[in-house]
Amino acid sequence: MGFYGKEPVDASKCKAVYLWTGLGTPGVFVVHVEGDAPNYSYGFSLKRDPEFVGGLKIDAMGWTGPLGQGTSSYQVGGSFPGQYVPKIVISGSNGDFVIDVKEIPHDQVDNFVKSKAS
C-alpha cells in the first residue's frame, strides 16, 4: 500500500517561469521540479499550497510504497495562474526552498512555448 505525501526535491534543478499574458489579466507560472524519491514512488504531481500567504508555494507530491532500497529520479511539471512574484517556494519532504522566477514578456510567450514543444 502506498502513502501520499511530499517527495524530496533537488532545489538546484527546480525552475519557474512566469508567462505574461499582456491582456491586463494575471499570467501563468510554469514550474518544473526534479528530485530523487525513495523506491518505489509514483504518481508525482505539483500542488499549490492554498494556505500559503504572500506568494506562491508549490508542494512536490507523490505516492511512495511499498518501500524499497535506494532512490529513483523523477521530474514533474505544472502550471499555476496568478499575479507575478519574483520568487516562489518549492516544498518537499526535505524542506522548503525559495527559487527565482524567470519572466517571459507577453510578446515572447509564443516563441517560448514553441521552444518547449520541440
Side-chain angles (χ1 to χ4, degrees), residues 23-48:
L23 301 175
T25 61
V28 177
F29 292 91
V30 178
V31 181
H32 176 83
V33 173
E34 295 185 31
D36 293 310
N39 286 334
Y40 297 92
S41 296
Y42 56 95
F44 300 102
S45 63
L46 297 179
K47 180 182 169 226
R48 178 182 225 140

Side-chain angles (χ1 to χ4, degrees), residues 14-79:
C14 294
K15 299 175 188 160
V17 297
Y18 187 79
L19 307 178
W20 286 95
T21 62
L23 301 175
T25 61
V28 177
F29 292 91
V30 178
V31 181
H32 176 83
V33 173
E34 295 185 31
D36 293 310
N39 286 334
Y40 297 92
S41 296
Y42 56 95
F44 300 102
S45 63
L46 297 179
K47 180 182 169 226
R48 178 182 225 140
D49 183 339
E51 298 177 7
F52 184 73
V53 179
L56 179 63
K57 182 178 179 186
I58 301 297
D59 298 328
M61 305 296 288
W63 289 89
T64 300
L67 288 176
Q69 291 186 355
T71 61
S72 296
S73 297
Y74 76 92
Q75 296 181 24
V76 63
S79 60

Side-chain angles (χ1 to χ4, degrees), residues 100-118:
D100 293 325
V101 176
K102 178 181 176 184
E103 295 179 74
I104 307 296
H106 70 91
D107 58 348
Q108 296 176 18
V109 169
D110 286 343
N111 292 334
F112 173 80
V113 172
K114 288 176 186 175
S115 73
K116 295 300 176 186
S118 37

